[in-house]
Amino acid sequence: MSQSASYTKVCFVMGAGNGIGRASALLFAKEGYNVALLSKSIDNLKETERLCIAEGASTMTFCIDACDAKSVQISVETIVKVLGGIDVLICAQGALNYNLTKTLTIDEHDEILNINYRSCVQA
C-alpha cells in the first residue's frame, strides 16, 4: 500500500477497556497515532476513547467480543478502509479463572483459551 506523507500511523488495541489495553492505547495516542479501540464493555470503551481524544488522537471504537471472529474481521476491514491500515496490533484482552485447573469444566477451559489465545490468533 502506498501511503502519503500525511499518513498517520494506526494502532489497533483489542481489550482497550481497561488495564494494559487502556494504558497501551493512551501511550500510542500520546505518540501521535490514530487508535482503534475494541472492548466488550461500552462504558470502559467510552472512557478509553475520551482519554485518547484528550491526548489529541483520532479514534475508532468497536464494542464487540474479541472472541467473535467475524466481528473482529469486520472491524479490521473497517480500520483498513477508513484509516488506511494497521501499523500496530495489541492484543490485551484476557480472562482469568481462579479455580483450580482440575475443577474447571471443559467450557471454562474453552472460554479462557478463546479469550487469551484464539482471539489473538484470529486478529
Side-chain angles (χ1 to χ4, degrees):
M1 169 176 41
S2 174
Q3 297 174 342
S4 70
S6 64
Y7 175 76
T8 301
K9 289 186 178 181
V10 177
C11 179
F12 180 29
V13 183
M14 298 173 61
N18 56 38
I20 294 170
R22 178 178 285 169
S24 298
L26 288 171
L27 175 69
F28 280 90
K30 288 176 185 177
E31 291 296 319
Y33 283 66
N34 289 329
V35 290
L37 309 167
L38 181 147
S39 177
K40 65 180 181 178
S41 168
I42 188 68
D43 293 334
N44 290 346
L45 184 62
K46 285 181 180 180
E47 179 61 11
T48 302
E49 179 182 37
R50 184 190 69 75
L51 294 168
C52 288
I53 290 170
E55 293 296 338
S58 295
T59 63
M60 291 184 76
T61 59
F62 302 90
C63 187
I64 59 173
D65 186 337
C67 294
D68 181 346
K70 183 66 176 167
S71 293
V72 171
Q73 182 61 38
I74 291 168
S75 68
V76 168
E77 291 168 359
T78 302
I79 294 164
V80 170
K81 182 177 181 180
V82 174
L83 299 177
I86 297 172
D87 300 287
V88 177
L89 170 63
I90 297 173
C91 297
Q93 69 280 9
L96 295 172
N97 188 319
Y98 291 102
N99 292 324
L100 294 175
T101 302
K102 67 182 180 180
T103 65
L104 295 177
T105 67
I106 193 68
D107 288 340
E108 290 169 329
H109 278 286
D110 284 346
E111 178 183 26
I112 292 167
L113 287 173
N114 284 340
I115 294 170
N116 294 341
Y117 174 70
R118 187 167 182 243
S119 64
C120 296
V121 172
Q122 66 196 21

